[in-house]
Amino acid sequence: MPTDTPPGPLRFLVFGAALRTGSANARLASLVARLISDAGATVDFATMRDFDMPLYDGDMEATEGLPQGALALRDRLERSDAFVISSPEYNASVPGVLKNAIDWVSRVRPQPFKNKHAMLVSASPSLIGGNRGLWALRVPLEHLGTRVYPDMFSLADSYQSFAEDGTLVDTGLQQRLTETVSGFLSLVEADVRYVCLERRWYEFLGDRTEAAITQRAES
């Protein structure tokens, strides 16, 4: 007799968006990956160096196609149920290397950011914690149809914030990060397991999913 096969673990791509070895965002990404793994999900941990690619060039795309780094990121996004980016803040905005990667991968059809859940976190030595950069990062991702989790986590004074075991020195912040990750996992599970969320996205109030500008962004 046929039996119900339990679903496999949820799959998350987690990566830090800084190139520097030992960056605070790599450490924060590692901590988030640990929390996700501890919750029973599967983590694909990556760094921006896994997705090396030149600056976006339309002529290069036309003659050579997408670079291998962009295709690698596409593949790992497609294999995931959701993704987490730990991004530094450069001049109150998105790091160029991350924005460039998003621009390249957005050229893939079907467009892999569409309908993916994402959580954004940041670490910065400043007192703001990279929060301005995360707000800027939401813009291209949401334009491409990514469902960005409302709660973002920004770690200020990051050079002094990590304990030797990789957790946060401030137990209150550690608890807040744990709860943020837990809430994100619950949302992803609800969407993947129970299909209880209507998959609609609007760029402007009153816009419809069949509108031309929405199709250009999400297709």
Side-chain angles (χ1 to χ4, degrees):
M1 295 180 61
T3 58
D4 292 334
T5 301
L10 295 172
R11 299 159 299 173
F12 291 81
L13 172 63
V14 180
F15 65 95
L19 291 173
R20 183 172 62 84
T21 302
S23 75
N25 280 280
R27 299 182 72 180
L28 183 57
S30 180
L31 176 54
V32 171
R34 188 197 312 182
L35 293 172
I36 293 174
S37 180
D38 288 347
T42 297
V43 175
D44 177 11
F45 188 72
T47 71
M48 283 306 299
R49 293 193 181 277
D50 296 330
F51 312 124
D52 184 44
M53 61 192 85
L55 294 176
Y56 177 74
D57 181 338
D59 290 337
M60 179 183 295
E61 181 188 9
T63 58
E64 303 177 22
L66 273 70
Q68 288 303 309
L71 294 175
L73 179 52
R74 182 275 312 271
D75 291 344
R76 292 168 81 166
L77 282 169
E78 289 184 342
R79 291 196 297 265
S80 68
D81 294 307
F83 63 96
V84 179
I85 301 176
S86 182
S87 177
E89 177 184 286
Y90 293 170
N91 297 315
S93 191
V94 184
V97 66
L98 177 57
K99 180 58 166 60
N100 183 61
I102 293 171
D103 291 342
W104 267 117
V105 175
S106 73
R107 303 295 296 169
V108 177
R109 297 295 180 269
Q111 201 269 97
F113 289 109
K114 180 180 179 180
N115 291 334
K116 290 287 185 184
H117 284 284
M119 188 176 83
L120 306 181
V121 300
S122 64
S124 170
S126 76
L127 296 180
I128 298 176
N131 189 256
R132 296 169 300 185
L134 295 187
W135 281 108
L137 179 55
R138 295 184 73 100
V139 174
L141 291 176
E142 290 180 332
H143 175 73
L144 293 169
T146 303
R147 298 193 289 272
V148 181
Y149 191 56
D151 292 340
M152 302 183 293
F153 180 86
S154 296
L155 180 65
D157 193 22
S158 59
Y159 292 162
Q160 313 297 325
S161 295
F162 291 95
E164 290 186 5
D165 65 355
T167 61
L168 301 181
V169 173
D170 187 319
T171 56
L173 285 177
Q174 178 69 33
Q175 181 64 26
R176 183 182 155 220
L177 177 61
T178 302
E179 292 173 353
T180 302
V181 170
S182 177
F184 178 60
L185 295 179
S186 296
L187 178 63
V188 175
E189 182 178 22
D191 191 31
V192 172
R193 302 281 190 241
Y194 310 113
V195 199
C196 62
L197 300 178
E198 184 178 7
R199 297 194 172 194
R200 287 185 176 272
W201 172 85
Y202 301 95
E203 183 168 7
F204 305 108
L205 291 177
D207 200 3
R208 300 183 307 278
T209 54
E210 67 269 20
I213 190 168
T214 307
Q215 291 176 342
R216 287 201 303 272
E218 292 195 353
S219 298

